[in-house]
Amino acid sequence: MQLSVRALSKRYKTGDGVSGINIDIQKGELVTLLGPSGCGKTTVLRSIGGFLEPDSGDILIEGQSVIQLPPEKRPTSMVFQSYNLWSHMSVYDNLAFGLKIRKKSKAEIQSAVEDALKLVRLSGFGKKYPAELSGGQQQRVALARSLLLNPAVLLLDEPFSALDAKLRHEMREELREIQMKTGLTMVFVTHDQEEALSLSDRIIVMNHGRIEQIAEPQRIYDEPASLYVASFIGKMNFLRGVAAQESIQIGDIHLPNEKNLDGQVIVAVRPEDVQLQFIAGDHPSLAGKIKQVMILGHYAEVTVDLGQLGVIRAFLNKDRVEQLHTGKDIYVSISKMIAYPHEESY
Ligand SMILES: Nc1ncnc2c1ncn2[C@@H]1O[C@H](COP(=O)(O)OP(=O)(O)OP(=O)(O)O)[C@@H](O)[C@H]1O
Ligand SMILES: [Mg+2]
């Protein structure tokens, strides 16, 4: 295991913080800490990097505990949200600084800096100063600087959040490429679920200082472990259902009761797993009325009022919505759902 976090706990004087954090990351993995503002992502990352002293727990890198070591002695390197470049130094000197401290030869430094600039697609930018660069370019320099320290684990705390959407997208792809080229182990913090889904080998979903689920992106999307994860990741419908023995009943629809739940349940359904028909048909369906049709580029979001059961949203191909309009009677069927105990609601 490249990085292990064991029973980490850190509570600030206010009582906020994190508890019971257990994480194992393999060499070459890119793992994302995902969760809303204040859930404790930075607290975990700074504890790994040595910028924060946890109350209890241990952190092991390549099998060795690093908990007693200051940041500069740990085999980690951190990229911050604000780029933290030295404005009075050229890009080259910003990058060379850490290597000079490590007493590398001039020739070694020069070739390493050139390689790093090439990796972040900034070859030839060495003589420029940070103020002469765009936000995205500055963040790439900051990334290159961290890569040059050759860490066992690279820590990134919302490194792209100050960039506009298009640039953020590009930087994501570049980071993924760099990771594939270098095989570096990375822990990436974000509150952006799309960023996490697109970038990660595995995602750690956090809520209120605790871990809710650790899994591959597809798994997090298809099988959210809790109602919280179901509501945080992607678009989701929530309906009331009743579980009894083998089936879960939502109106006239019966679906398998895979978790053997009992009594009142909350049923989560992805909009792409909702089908609409004009007639009731052979399959059991729910009768409703169209509430709204919204065209969103190549697809449409159709909201259907199911009366007592609530409201459900469906994604349809744009060319299928021509005959749909507000107030029209419609029948809804559901191809896949995940049920949660009612008491889990928050
Ligand atoms: N130095 C501190 N003293 C007291 N409370 C703190 C301190 N740093 C963070 N907190 C609190 O601890 C909790 C977790 O903070 P943390 O910075 O880890 O969250 P985060 O998930 O990184 O949030 P964001 O997405 O906003 O960066 C928050 O409630 C925050 O207010
Ligand atoms: Mg943070």
PDB file of all heavy atoms in Angstrom, residues 161-190:
ATOM      1  N   SER A 161      -9.945  25.015  -8.958  1.00  0.00           N
ATOM      2  CA  SER A 161     -11.229  25.659  -8.666  1.00  0.00           C
ATOM      3  C   SER A 161     -11.249  27.136  -9.023  1.00  0.00           C
ATOM      4  O   SER A 161     -12.316  27.714  -9.209  1.00  0.00           O
ATOM      5  CB  SER A 161     -11.606  25.454  -7.202  1.00  0.00           C
ATOM      6  OG  SER A 161     -10.651  26.064  -6.380  1.00  0.00           O
ATOM      7  N   ALA A 162     -10.070  27.766  -9.155  1.00  0.00           N
ATOM      8  CA  ALA A 162     -10.053  29.187  -9.519  1.00  0.00           C
ATOM      9  C   ALA A 162     -10.128  29.393 -11.030  1.00  0.00           C
ATOM     10  O   ALA A 162     -10.193  30.517 -11.503  1.00  0.00           O
ATOM     11  CB  ALA A 162      -8.796  29.851  -8.955  1.00  0.00           C
ATOM     12  N   LEU A 163     -10.111  28.290 -11.785  1.00  0.00           N
ATOM     13  CA  LEU A 163     -10.077  28.409 -13.247  1.00  0.00           C
ATOM     14  C   LEU A 163     -11.481  28.340 -13.840  1.00  0.00           C
ATOM     15  O   LEU A 163     -12.377  27.754 -13.237  1.00  0.00           O
ATOM     16  CB  LEU A 163      -9.225  27.277 -13.824  1.00  0.00           C
ATOM     17  CG  LEU A 163      -7.834  27.123 -13.206  1.00  0.00           C
ATOM     18  CD1 LEU A 163      -7.125  25.915 -13.795  1.00  0.00           C
ATOM     19  CD2 LEU A 163      -6.999  28.374 -13.417  1.00  0.00           C
ATOM     20  N   ASP A 164     -11.654  28.899 -15.049  1.00  0.00           N
ATOM     21  CA  ASP A 164     -12.980  28.841 -15.667  1.00  0.00           C
ATOM     22  C   ASP A 164     -13.271  27.415 -16.147  1.00  0.00           C
ATOM     23  O   ASP A 164     -12.380  26.566 -16.238  1.00  0.00           O
ATOM     24  CB  ASP A 164     -13.126  29.867 -16.788  1.00  0.00           C
ATOM     25  CG  ASP A 164     -12.270  29.558 -17.993  1.00  0.00           C
ATOM     26  OD1 ASP A 164     -12.270  28.404 -18.462  1.00  0.00           O
ATOM     27  OD2 ASP A 164     -11.589  30.469 -18.469  1.00  0.00           O
ATOM     28  N   ALA A 165     -14.542  27.155 -16.441  1.00  0.00           N
ATOM     29  CA  ALA A 165     -15.003  25.782 -16.688  1.00  0.00           C
ATOM     30  C   ALA A 165     -14.204  25.085 -17.796  1.00  0.00           C
ATOM     31  O   ALA A 165     -13.825  23.927 -17.659  1.00  0.00           O
ATOM     32  CB  ALA A 165     -16.487  25.789 -17.025  1.00  0.00           C
ATOM     33  N   LYS A 166     -13.929  25.799 -18.873  1.00  0.00           N
ATOM     34  CA  LYS A 166     -13.260  25.181 -20.022  1.00  0.00           C
ATOM     35  C   LYS A 166     -11.824  24.785 -19.654  1.00  0.00           C
ATOM     36  O   LYS A 166     -11.378  23.676 -19.931  1.00  0.00           O
ATOM     37  CB  LYS A 166     -13.258  26.173 -21.188  1.00  0.00           C
ATOM     38  CG  LYS A 166     -12.710  25.616 -22.464  1.00  0.00           C
ATOM     39  CD  LYS A 166     -13.149  26.458 -23.660  1.00  0.00           C
ATOM     40  CE  LYS A 166     -12.452  26.007 -24.926  1.00  0.00           C
ATOM     41  NZ  LYS A 166     -11.042  26.417 -24.951  1.00  0.00           N
ATOM     42  N   LEU A 167     -11.148  25.712 -18.997  1.00  0.00           N
ATOM     43  CA  LEU A 167      -9.760  25.472 -18.601  1.00  0.00           C
ATOM     44  C   LEU A 167      -9.678  24.341 -17.572  1.00  0.00           C
ATOM     45  O   LEU A 167      -8.774  23.510 -17.595  1.00  0.00           O
ATOM     46  CB  LEU A 167      -9.183  26.763 -18.015  1.00  0.00           C
ATOM     47  CG  LEU A 167      -7.668  26.884 -17.971  1.00  0.00           C
ATOM     48  CD1 LEU A 167      -7.063  26.581 -19.326  1.00  0.00           C
ATOM     49  CD2 LEU A 167      -7.279  28.296 -17.543  1.00  0.00           C
ATOM     50  N   ARG A 168     -10.654  24.326 -16.680  1.00  0.00           N
ATOM     51  CA  ARG A 168     -10.697  23.301 -15.641  1.00  0.00           C
ATOM     52  C   ARG A 168     -10.783  21.918 -16.297  1.00  0.00           C
ATOM     53  O   ARG A 168     -10.127  20.979 -15.882  1.00  0.00           O
ATOM     54  CB  ARG A 168     -11.924  23.543 -14.758  1.00  0.00           C
ATOM     55  CG  ARG A 168     -11.715  23.108 -13.343  1.00  0.00           C
ATOM     56  CD  ARG A 168     -12.667  23.776 -12.403  1.00  0.00           C
ATOM     57  NE  ARG A 168     -14.048  23.530 -12.721  1.00  0.00           N
ATOM     58  CZ  ARG A 168     -15.024  24.416 -12.597  1.00  0.00           C
ATOM     59  NH1 ARG A 168     -14.743  25.632 -12.178  1.00  0.00           N
ATOM     60  NH2 ARG A 168     -16.244  24.109 -12.886  1.00  0.00           N
ATOM     61  N   HIS A 169     -11.595  21.871 -17.325  1.00  0.00           N
ATOM     62  CA  HIS A 169     -11.774  20.645 -18.085  1.00  0.00           C
ATOM     63  C   HIS A 169     -10.461  20.192 -18.719  1.00  0.00           C
ATOM     64  O   HIS A 169     -10.066  19.035 -18.631  1.00  0.00           O
ATOM     65  CB  HIS A 169     -12.829  20.899 -19.163  1.00  0.00           C
ATOM     66  CG  HIS A 169     -13.646  19.713 -19.469  1.00  0.00           C
ATOM     67  ND1 HIS A 169     -13.280  18.827 -20.439  1.00  0.00           N
ATOM     68  CD2 HIS A 169     -14.789  19.235 -18.919  1.00  0.00           C
ATOM     69  CE1 HIS A 169     -14.159  17.855 -20.488  1.00  0.00           C
ATOM     70  NE2 HIS A 169     -15.092  18.080 -19.565  1.00  0.00           N
ATOM     71  N   GLU A 170      -9.765  21.149 -19.334  1.00  0.00           N
ATOM     72  CA  GLU A 170      -8.483  20.831 -19.971  1.00  0.00           C
ATOM     73  C   GLU A 170      -7.457  20.363 -18.944  1.00  0.00           C
ATOM     74  O   GLU A 170      -6.722  19.406 -19.179  1.00  0.00           O
ATOM     75  CB  GLU A 170      -7.935  22.063 -20.695  1.00  0.00           C
ATOM     76  CG  GLU A 170      -8.654  22.364 -21.998  1.00  0.00           C
ATOM     77  CD  GLU A 170      -8.222  23.700 -22.576  1.00  0.00           C
ATOM     78  OE1 GLU A 170      -7.117  24.196 -22.224  1.00  0.00           O
ATOM     79  OE2 GLU A 170      -8.994  24.260 -23.353  1.00  0.00           O
ATOM     80  N   MET A 171      -7.434  21.061 -17.800  1.00  0.00           N
ATOM     81  CA  MET A 171      -6.445  20.724 -16.769  1.00  0.00           C
ATOM     82  C   MET A 171      -6.680  19.317 -16.225  1.00  0.00           C
ATOM     83  O   MET A 171      -5.746  18.591 -15.934  1.00  0.00           O
ATOM     84  CB  MET A 171      -6.493  21.740 -15.620  1.00  0.00           C
ATOM     85  CG  MET A 171      -6.043  23.125 -15.994  1.00  0.00           C
ATOM     86  SD  MET A 171      -4.283  23.244 -16.378  1.00  0.00           S
ATOM     87  CE  MET A 171      -3.546  22.960 -14.786  1.00  0.00           C
ATOM     88  N   ARG A 172      -7.964  18.958 -16.101  1.00  0.00           N
ATOM     89  CA  ARG A 172      -8.312  17.603 -15.674  1.00  0.00           C
ATOM     90  C   ARG A 172      -7.685  16.573 -16.586  1.00  0.00           C
ATOM     91  O   ARG A 172      -7.072  15.619 -16.143  1.00  0.00           O
ATOM     92  CB  ARG A 172      -9.827  17.433 -15.831  1.00  0.00           C
ATOM     93  CG  ARG A 172     -10.600  17.503 -14.580  1.00  0.00           C
ATOM     94  CD  ARG A 172     -12.050  17.243 -14.922  1.00  0.00           C
ATOM     95  NE  ARG A 172     -12.866  18.302 -14.414  1.00  0.00           N
ATOM     96  CZ  ARG A 172     -14.123  18.526 -14.781  1.00  0.00           C
ATOM     97  NH1 ARG A 172     -14.687  17.773 -15.702  1.00  0.00           N
ATOM     98  NH2 ARG A 172     -14.805  19.489 -14.248  1.00  0.00           N
ATOM     99  N   GLU A 173      -7.884  16.796 -17.903  1.00  0.00           N
ATOM    100  CA  GLU A 173      -7.355  15.839 -18.877  1.00  0.00           C
ATOM    101  C   GLU A 173      -5.843  15.778 -18.803  1.00  0.00           C
ATOM    102  O   GLU A 173      -5.241  14.712 -18.885  1.00  0.00           O
ATOM    103  CB  GLU A 173      -7.806  16.226 -20.288  1.00  0.00           C
ATOM    104  CG  GLU A 173      -9.244  15.848 -20.533  1.00  0.00           C
ATOM    105  CD  GLU A 173      -9.781  16.362 -21.854  1.00  0.00           C
ATOM    106  OE1 GLU A 173      -8.971  16.738 -22.730  1.00  0.00           O
ATOM    107  OE2 GLU A 173     -11.018  16.388 -21.986  1.00  0.00           O
ATOM    108  N   GLU A 174      -5.227  16.960 -18.631  1.00  0.00           N
ATOM    109  CA  GLU A 174      -3.767  16.993 -18.555  1.00  0.00           C
ATOM    110  C   GLU A 174      -3.264  16.269 -17.322  1.00  0.00           C
ATOM    111  O   GLU A 174      -2.277  15.539 -17.375  1.00  0.00           O
ATOM    112  CB  GLU A 174      -3.271  18.439 -18.546  1.00  0.00           C
ATOM    113  CG  GLU A 174      -3.146  18.984 -19.942  1.00  0.00           C
ATOM    114  CD  GLU A 174      -2.648  20.406 -19.960  1.00  0.00           C
ATOM    115  OE1 GLU A 174      -1.790  20.763 -19.130  1.00  0.00           O
ATOM    116  OE2 GLU A 174      -3.145  21.173 -20.798  1.00  0.00           O
ATOM    117  N   LEU A 175      -3.949  16.475 -16.207  1.00  0.00           N
ATOM    118  CA  LEU A 175      -3.524  15.819 -14.968  1.00  0.00           C
ATOM    119  C   LEU A 175      -3.594  14.298 -15.130  1.00  0.00           C
ATOM    120  O   LEU A 175      -2.713  13.563 -14.693  1.00  0.00           O
ATOM    121  CB  LEU A 175      -4.398  16.266 -13.788  1.00  0.00           C
ATOM    122  CG  LEU A 175      -3.922  15.761 -12.433  1.00  0.00           C
ATOM    123  CD1 LEU A 175      -2.626  16.454 -12.016  1.00  0.00           C
ATOM    124  CD2 LEU A 175      -4.980  15.968 -11.360  1.00  0.00           C
ATOM    125  N   ARG A 176      -4.652  13.848 -15.770  1.00  0.00           N
ATOM    126  CA  ARG A 176      -4.830  12.415 -16.006  1.00  0.00           C
ATOM    127  C   ARG A 176      -3.693  11.885 -16.872  1.00  0.00           C
ATOM    128  O   ARG A 176      -3.149  10.818 -16.618  1.00  0.00           O
ATOM    129  CB  ARG A 176      -6.185  12.199 -16.691  1.00  0.00           C
ATOM    130  CG  ARG A 176      -6.790  10.858 -16.474  1.00  0.00           C
ATOM    131  CD  ARG A 176      -7.045  10.577 -15.013  1.00  0.00           C
ATOM    132  NE  ARG A 176      -7.834   9.356 -14.864  1.00  0.00           N
ATOM    133  CZ  ARG A 176      -7.504   8.340 -14.085  1.00  0.00           C
ATOM    134  NH1 ARG A 176      -6.393   8.361 -13.387  1.00  0.00           N
ATOM    135  NH2 ARG A 176      -8.286   7.306 -13.979  1.00  0.00           N
ATOM    136  N   GLU A 177      -3.318  12.669 -17.896  1.00  0.00           N
ATOM    137  CA  GLU A 177      -2.218  12.262 -18.775  1.00  0.00           C
ATOM    138  C   GLU A 177      -0.903  12.192 -18.017  1.00  0.00           C
ATOM    139  O   GLU A 177      -0.140  11.239 -18.151  1.00  0.00           O
ATOM    140  CB  GLU A 177      -2.082  13.277 -19.909  1.00  0.00           C
ATOM    141  CG  GLU A 177      -2.469  12.717 -21.262  1.00  0.00           C
ATOM    142  CD  GLU A 177      -2.556  13.823 -22.285  1.00  0.00           C
ATOM    143  OE1 GLU A 177      -1.519  14.450 -22.580  1.00  0.00           O
ATOM    144  OE2 GLU A 177      -3.673  14.078 -22.775  1.00  0.00           O
ATOM    145  N   ILE A 178      -0.669  13.237 -17.189  1.00  0.00           N
ATOM    146  CA  ILE A 178       0.560  13.275 -16.398  1.00  0.00           C
ATOM    147  C   ILE A 178       0.613  12.072 -15.469  1.00  0.00           C
ATOM    148  O   ILE A 178       1.639  11.424 -15.310  1.00  0.00           O
ATOM    149  CB  ILE A 178       0.642  14.599 -15.592  1.00  0.00           C
ATOM    150  CG1 ILE A 178       0.934  15.764 -16.545  1.00  0.00           C
ATOM    151  CG2 ILE A 178       1.685  14.510 -14.489  1.00  0.00           C
ATOM    152  CD1 ILE A 178       0.784  17.130 -15.921  1.00  0.00           C
ATOM    153  N   GLN A 179      -0.533  11.761 -14.893  1.00  0.00           N
ATOM    154  CA  GLN A 179      -0.571  10.637 -13.964  1.00  0.00           C
ATOM    155  C   GLN A 179      -0.260   9.338 -14.687  1.00  0.00           C
ATOM    156  O   GLN A 179       0.464   8.483 -14.179  1.00  0.00           O
ATOM    157  CB  GLN A 179      -1.946  10.563 -13.290  1.00  0.00           C
ATOM    158  CG  GLN A 179      -1.942   9.677 -12.073  1.00  0.00           C
ATOM    159  CD  GLN A 179      -2.994   8.603 -12.163  1.00  0.00           C
ATOM    160  OE1 GLN A 179      -3.722   8.506 -13.153  1.00  0.00           O
ATOM    161  NE2 GLN A 179      -3.081   7.804 -11.135  1.00  0.00           N
ATOM    162  N   MET A 180      -0.783   9.187 -15.908  1.00  0.00           N
ATOM    163  CA  MET A 180      -0.517   7.960 -16.657  1.00  0.00           C
ATOM    164  C   MET A 180       0.947   7.871 -17.059  1.00  0.00           C
ATOM    165  O   MET A 180       1.532   6.813 -17.029  1.00  0.00           O
ATOM    166  CB  MET A 180      -1.440   7.874 -17.868  1.00  0.00           C
ATOM    167  CG  MET A 180      -2.846   7.467 -17.458  1.00  0.00           C
ATOM    168  SD  MET A 180      -3.834   6.909 -18.831  1.00  0.00           S
ATOM    169  CE  MET A 180      -4.560   8.430 -19.353  1.00  0.00           C
ATOM    170  N   LYS A 181       1.535   9.041 -17.431  1.00  0.00           N
ATOM    171  CA  LYS A 181       2.951   9.044 -17.834  1.00  0.00           C
ATOM    172  C   LYS A 181       3.876   8.770 -16.659  1.00  0.00           C
ATOM    173  O   LYS A 181       4.873   8.086 -16.798  1.00  0.00           O
ATOM    174  CB  LYS A 181       3.310  10.419 -18.428  1.00  0.00           C
ATOM    175  CG  LYS A 181       2.983  10.533 -19.902  1.00  0.00           C
ATOM    176  CD  LYS A 181       3.545  11.834 -20.448  1.00  0.00           C
ATOM    177  CE  LYS A 181       2.812  12.242 -21.710  1.00  0.00           C
ATOM    178  NZ  LYS A 181       2.848  13.685 -21.930  1.00  0.00           N
ATOM    179  N   THR A 182       3.555   9.348 -15.499  1.00  0.00           N
ATOM    180  CA  THR A 182       4.483   9.273 -14.370  1.00  0.00           C
ATOM    181  C   THR A 182       4.149   8.125 -13.418  1.00  0.00           C
ATOM    182  O   THR A 182       4.998   7.716 -12.639  1.00  0.00           O
ATOM    183  CB  THR A 182       4.454  10.575 -13.541  1.00  0.00           C
ATOM    184  OG1 THR A 182       3.109  10.773 -13.062  1.00  0.00           O
ATOM    185  CG2 THR A 182       4.857  11.775 -14.370  1.00  0.00           C
ATOM    186  N   GLY A 183       2.924   7.626 -13.453  1.00  0.00           N
ATOM    187  CA  GLY A 183       2.526   6.560 -12.525  1.00  0.00           C
ATOM    188  C   GLY A 183       2.470   7.035 -11.086  1.00  0.00           C
ATOM    189  O   GLY A 183       2.530   6.234 -10.145  1.00  0.00           O
ATOM    190  N   LEU A 184       2.347   8.344 -10.898  1.00  0.00           N
ATOM    191  CA  LEU A 184       2.360   8.929  -9.563  1.00  0.00           C
ATOM    192  C   LEU A 184       1.063   8.632  -8.801  1.00  0.00           C
ATOM    193  O   LEU A 184      -0.011   8.597  -9.390  1.00  0.00           O
ATOM    194  CB  LEU A 184       2.520  10.446  -9.724  1.00  0.00           C
ATOM    195  CG  LEU A 184       3.036  11.248  -8.551  1.00  0.00           C
ATOM    196  CD1 LEU A 184       4.388  10.728  -8.086  1.00  0.00           C
ATOM    197  CD2 LEU A 184       3.171  12.707  -8.960  1.00  0.00           C
ATOM    198  N   THR A 185       1.184   8.443  -7.508  1.00  0.00           N
ATOM    199  CA  THR A 185       0.019   8.267  -6.641  1.00  0.00           C
ATOM    200  C   THR A 185      -0.503   9.661  -6.273  1.00  0.00           C
ATOM    201  O   THR A 185       0.282  10.511  -5.868  1.00  0.00           O
ATOM    202  CB  THR A 185       0.428   7.520  -5.354  1.00  0.00           C
ATOM    203  OG1 THR A 185       1.159   6.361  -5.737  1.00  0.00           O
ATOM    204  CG2 THR A 185      -0.780   7.143  -4.514  1.00  0.00           C
ATOM    205  N   MET A 186      -1.796   9.885  -6.440  1.00  0.00           N
ATOM    206  CA  MET A 186      -2.337  11.216  -6.169  1.00  0.00           C
ATOM    207  C   MET A 186      -3.587  11.169  -5.309  1.00  0.00           C
ATOM    208  O   MET A 186      -4.442  10.306  -5.493  1.00  0.00           O
ATOM    209  CB  MET A 186      -2.711  11.931  -7.478  1.00  0.00           C
ATOM    210  CG  MET A 186      -1.560  12.128  -8.437  1.00  0.00           C
ATOM    211  SD  MET A 186      -2.044  13.233  -9.784  1.00  0.00           S
ATOM    212  CE  MET A 186      -0.690  12.971 -10.931  1.00  0.00           C
ATOM    213  N   VAL A 187      -3.670  12.133  -4.389  1.00  0.00           N
ATOM    214  CA  VAL A 187      -4.914  12.347  -3.648  1.00  0.00           C
ATOM    215  C   VAL A 187      -5.408  13.740  -4.032  1.00  0.00           C
ATOM    216  O   VAL A 187      -4.696  14.733  -3.850  1.00  0.00           O
ATOM    217  CB  VAL A 187      -4.713  12.273  -2.123  1.00  0.00           C
ATOM    218  CG1 VAL A 187      -6.060  12.367  -1.415  1.00  0.00           C
ATOM    219  CG2 VAL A 187      -3.998  10.994  -1.731  1.00  0.00           C
ATOM    220  N   PHE A 188      -6.604  13.789  -4.601  1.00  0.00           N
ATOM    221  CA  PHE A 188      -7.129  15.011  -5.204  1.00  0.00           C
ATOM    222  C   PHE A 188      -8.395  15.414  -4.456  1.00  0.00           C
ATOM    223  O   PHE A 188      -9.298  14.597  -4.273  1.00  0.00           O
ATOM    224  CB  PHE A 188      -7.451  14.688  -6.671  1.00  0.00           C
ATOM    225  CG  PHE A 188      -7.856  15.862  -7.505  1.00  0.00           C
ATOM    226  CD1 PHE A 188      -6.937  16.504  -8.315  1.00  0.00           C
ATOM    227  CD2 PHE A 188      -9.170  16.305  -7.516  1.00  0.00           C
ATOM    228  CE1 PHE A 188      -7.314  17.579  -9.116  1.00  0.00           C
ATOM    229  CE2 PHE A 188      -9.554  17.375  -8.304  1.00  0.00           C
ATOM    230  CZ  PHE A 188      -8.624  18.014  -9.109  1.00  0.00           C
ATOM    231  N   VAL A 189      -8.446  16.654  -4.005  1.00  0.00           N
ATOM    232  CA  VAL A 189      -9.629  17.127  -3.282  1.00  0.00           C
ATOM    233  C   VAL A 189     -10.506  17.967  -4.198  1.00  0.00           C
ATOM    234  O   VAL A 189     -10.008  18.832  -4.927  1.00  0.00           O
ATOM    235  CB  VAL A 189      -9.213  17.976  -2.056  1.00  0.00           C
ATOM    236  CG1 VAL A 189     -10.370  18.828  -1.571  1.00  0.00           C
ATOM    237  CG2 VAL A 189      -8.706  17.085  -0.934  1.00  0.00           C
ATOM    238  N   THR A 190     -11.801  17.715  -4.187  1.00  0.00           N
ATOM    239  CA  THR A 190     -12.728  18.560  -4.942  1.00  0.00           C
ATOM    240  C   THR A 190     -14.131  18.504  -4.318  1.00  0.00           C
ATOM    241  O   THR A 190     -14.467  17.536  -3.641  1.00  0.00           O
ATOM    242  CB  THR A 190     -12.796  18.150  -6.431  1.00  0.00           C
ATOM    243  OG1 THR A 190     -13.666  19.035  -7.124  1.00  0.00           O
ATOM    244  CG2 THR A 190     -13.308  16.730  -6.604  1.00  0.00           C
TER     245      THR A 190
END
